[in-house]
Amino acid sequence: MGYAIQWIRSLAFNITMYIAMPIVALIYLPWMLVSPHGGVAGCKAYCVVVKWLASWMINLRCEVRGTPPEGQVLVAAKHQSFLDIIMIFHAVPSGRFIMKQILLYAPILGQYAYRIGCVPVNRGKRGQAITKMLEDVKRGASLPGQLIIYSQGTRLAPGVKRPYKIGTAVLYEQMGTDCYPVSTNAGVFWPRRGVYRKPGTAVVDFLPPIPPGLPKEEFLKRLETEVETASDALLVEAGFTAPKGKS
């Protein structure tokens, strides 16, 4: 019975969350059209709405640990859920994501993503994607903001392991800035598929920055070790046990 009630609450939350998206977008549309600051404000307002709805509709609370960075830095995060996108973006002053190019054509999301300076790449052609990524970052280097990349390239269910892609290391070398690793257990509570949302406390943790100047291979190995170790610890904290055979 408890699961059924939570499932119904989750369904109501999902519907309400998506209804809220165009409402918030329309409210901030005039400001967004004249200034990228309006786009950032609109996106942050939506993050607040989603977190507030989750806190009372499905008893899911969000906790940010560590110190979110400021200034022009690289943020390399674990990606398990739409929720970690919301939590990370709301935590940093002016985040912009490396994102799939096709998302630019998504209603509302695409327009706001473009306006706040997200960097679209075509992941189907990795070499070209990295080149374009670097060109876009270089052109936008004068704009303050935290460049957020998901180093494994996609959402992964908790407990699933995938290699970290070289694009993050290339960006780290090109930007010459600190890189802030970010771990999470958000996928335990808000999975990438399905309706059900589990009550509890989802966490994103901004780990100590990796300074610039490391060789790409050394940086990527250190990034993967730190993010995976911290994320695994958060999974244990959330009571998650990986199914047998999952890797």
Side-chain angles (χ1 to χ4, degrees):
M1 179 63 74
Y3 179 89
I5 293 173
Q6 185 67 17
W7 191 94
I8 293 171
R9 295 175 69 175
S10 299
L11 177 62
F13 165 75
N14 294 340
I15 293 171
T16 306
M17 179 187 74
Y18 286 113
I19 290 175
M21 182 180 289
I23 295 173
V24 174
L26 286 172
I27 291 172
Y28 283 86
L29 180 62
W31 189 9
M32 185 269 284
L33 291 176
V34 299
S35 171
H37 295 292
V40 172
C43 292
K44 285 190 176 292
Y46 183 66
C47 293
V48 171
V49 169
V50 172
K51 290 168 67 177
W52 176 72
L53 290 172
S55 68
W56 64 270
M57 292 189 75
I58 54 176
N59 290 327
L60 175 56
R61 288 165 177 78
C62 301
E63 179 182 344
V64 175
R65 298 178 185 173
T67 303
E70 299 180 355
Q72 191 77 19
V73 298
L74 182 63
V75 176
K78 184 77 173 175
H79 189 21
Q80 296 179 347
S81 169
F82 181 55
L83 180 58
D84 57 62
I85 295 176
I86 290 173
M87 293 174 68
I88 293 171
F89 183 82
H90 187 241
V92 298
S94 184
R96 37 191 183 138
F97 290 87
I98 302 291
M99 57 182 279
K100 292 184 292 186
Q101 190 169 23
I102 194 172
L103 291 177
L104 283 180
Y105 304 101
I108 302 174
L109 176 64
Q111 290 73 38
Y112 270 82
Y114 175 79
R115 194 61 172 143
I116 68 175
C118 290
V119 182
V121 297
N122 183 350
R123 292 189 307 166
K125 300 177 180 178
R126 190 177 72 175
Q128 294 179 17
I130 293 175
T131 300
K132 185 178 186 305
M133 182 191 308
L134 296 174
E135 290 173 351
D136 288 341
V137 170
K138 193 172 183 179
R139 284 199 299 270
S142 61
L143 298 175
Q146 300 73 49
L147 186 63
I148 305 163
I149 186 169
Y150 289 114
S151 302
Q152 292 168 297
T154 189
R155 282 182 302 174
L156 293 173
V160 173
K161 306 295 183 183
R162 291 289 186 276
Y164 278 50
K165 296 181 179 295
I166 191 63
T168 304
V170 176
L171 269 177
Y172 163 80
E173 182 181 64
Q174 178 74 14
M175 291 178 68
T177 64
D178 287 343
C179 175
Y180 282 73
V182 180
S183 61
T184 189
N185 62 9
V188 173
F189 305 95
W190 186 322
R192 56 181 182 156
R193 296 191 181 92
V195 172
Y196 186 79
R197 305 288 181 256
K198 181 181 176 180
T201 301
V203 177
V204 296
D205 190 1
F206 288 85
L207 305 174
I210 300 174
L214 296 179
K216 289 196 293 289
E217 295 78 10
E218 181 181 342
F219 161 76
L220 202 61
K221 182 177 180 180
R222 176 172 169 179
L223 175 68
E224 181 172 356
T225 299
E226 292 185 4
V227 172
E228 292 301 309
T229 300
S231 294
D232 287 347
L234 290 176
L235 294 180
V236 172
E237 181 181 317
F240 174 79
T241 303
K244 291 183 178 180
K246 180 174 280 192
S247 63

